[in-house]
Amino acid sequence: MHKSYPAPGTEIMLEGAVNFRELGGYRAADGRHVKHGLLYRGGNLDALQSAADQAVLQSWHLQSILDFRSEGERAKHPDPAVEGAEYRRICAMRMTDGTEMDFSSSGIERLAAEKAAFEKAAGHPVHDYDWFSALYKQMPFDNPAYHAMFAMLEQHQVPLLFHCTCGKDRTGIAAMLILLALGVSRQDALRDYMLTNTYRREIIEASLRGKSPEERRLLLSVEGVDEAMGAGAIDEILVRFPSYEAYFAQEYGLDASRLAALRDYYLE
């Protein structure tokens, strides 16, 4: 008898955090499905304080934790040690000079300077929404965090939990890249990305209360995710490459044989 699993993208219910889930169950183009229990995504682990949450975390039997946050974010909310799991931190968003993009309070001044330089190059003021839309389009390329992630996947360092602060942006793009590499459709990869808005609905609505429709559109991505931003990141791949397979070959060395091996391991 086959074990029964929840629908792909179902939230893992926790007392201290929302938007934790796994990638298992999504259907690939060849008819196989992503294996359950290997690939988890989430946010700050220090939110999982209760005995019940700790029991859930331990039940994943993690071998690896990959933290996409900056050092400033990690310092404010350090990941607790998880028995049996190796911890790595590699920031998944970078300044133009290659240094970490720090979303903690201590990094605000540098972020402001980075945006000012972007506006100077554009020749006009730019809303944060448009700036981040441009940043998202850069994330899939030459990103040391995602290079480390795919190396860990090839080395079968799983079960793996990858996370950032809220589990929505750096984590959301990473999840889409994994799903696309495994042959899951763009539609389903983007659907997984957008589930953040379901699981963070109360937080999002509290942040947007009283805002106009246009303000809501521009500010949604502060606490939620914006479909155009997410789509922009993965669609930029097809602007630069003839296919996702060509991108994975060029960016991560996942040629046809290595990509097939990756799929054989993570699909069933």
Side-chain angles (χ1 to χ4, degrees):
M1 182 180 293
H2 291 289
K3 184 176 180 179
S4 175
Y5 291 104
T10 298
E11 185 178 27
I12 297 170
M13 301 310 296
L14 297 161
E15 294 177 354
V18 297
N19 206 28
F20 277 73
R21 41 207 157 103
E22 66 154 309
L23 302 187
Y26 281 108
R27 185 182 185 278
D30 62 9
R32 293 182 291 178
H33 294 79
V34 180
K35 291 179 182 177
H36 286 271
L38 296 181
L39 303 166
Y40 295 90
R41 52 172 293 179
N44 284 349
L45 298 188
D46 69 339
L48 308 184
Q49 297 284 343
S50 71
D53 284 354
Q54 283 296 306
V56 172
L57 186 61
Q58 293 297 333
S59 74
W60 299 341
H61 303 291
L62 297 174
Q63 182 176 334
S64 306
I65 296 171
L66 182 56
D67 183 351
F68 291 140
R69 300 174 300 167
S70 66
E71 173 55 28
E73 292 168 279
R74 186 213 62 79
K76 283 189 173 295
H77 297 278
D79 277 3
V82 176
E83 185 178 355
E86 179 182 348
Y87 172 83
R88 293 184 69 185
R89 187 195 65 79
I90 307 176
C91 189
M93 288 191 79
R94 301 272 163 168
M95 302 284 195
T96 52
D97 64 2
T99 56
E100 295 184 352
M101 187 164 280
D102 184 1
F103 292 99
S104 71
S105 55
S106 59
I108 295 301
E109 285 188 16
R110 282 211 66 198
L111 286 176
E114 186 81 358
K115 186 191 174 190
F118 181 84
E119 290 179 321
K120 183 176 180 180
H124 56 80
V126 174
H127 192 280
D128 283 353
Y129 174 88
D130 298 306
W131 179 43
F132 275 98
S133 294
L135 291 175
Y136 270 47
K137 289 183 178 181
Q138 302 302 319
M139 286 177 68
F141 309 100
D142 299 317
N143 190 322
Y146 296 161
H147 277 260
M149 178 179 73
F150 276 105
M152 294 168 75
L153 294 182
E154 278 204 280
Q155 294 160 12
H156 306 161
Q157 295 179 23
V158 291
L160 163 69
L161 168 65
F162 55 97
H163 79 93
C164 52
T165 292
C166 300
K168 65 186 189 73
D169 300 303
R170 293 160 287 189
T171 296
I173 301 298
M176 286 199 290
L177 293 178
I178 292 173
L179 292 172
L180 292 171
L182 297 180
V184 174
S185 69
R186 173 192 179 278
Q187 178 182 1
D188 281 345
L190 193 56
R191 172 183 168 271
D192 184 77
Y193 179 80
M194 293 303 297
L195 282 173
T196 282
N197 289 350
T198 299
Y199 303 139
R200 290 179 58 84
R201 179 175 289 125
E202 290 185 11
I203 299 168
I204 294 166
E205 286 304 317
S207 73
L208 297 180
R209 195 167 292 125
K211 304 295 184 183
S212 69
E214 178 62 9
E215 287 174 320
R216 290 177 67 91
R217 181 185 74 83
L218 293 172
L219 296 174
L220 169 63
S221 60
V222 175
E223 294 292 354
V225 292
D226 177 80
E227 185 168 1
M229 280 190 187
I234 56 173
D235 290 347
E236 181 66 17
I237 294 172
L238 298 182
V239 171
R240 303 189 191 193
F241 293 90
S243 65
Y244 289 123
E245 286 75 14
Y247 159 75
F248 287 113
Q250 177 71 26
E251 186 75 22
Y252 306 103
L254 291 168
D255 58 19
S257 62
R258 286 171 62 182
L259 193 61
L262 194 76
R263 292 176 177 178
D264 285 343
Y265 188 83
Y266 291 98
L267 299 176
E268 60 184 3

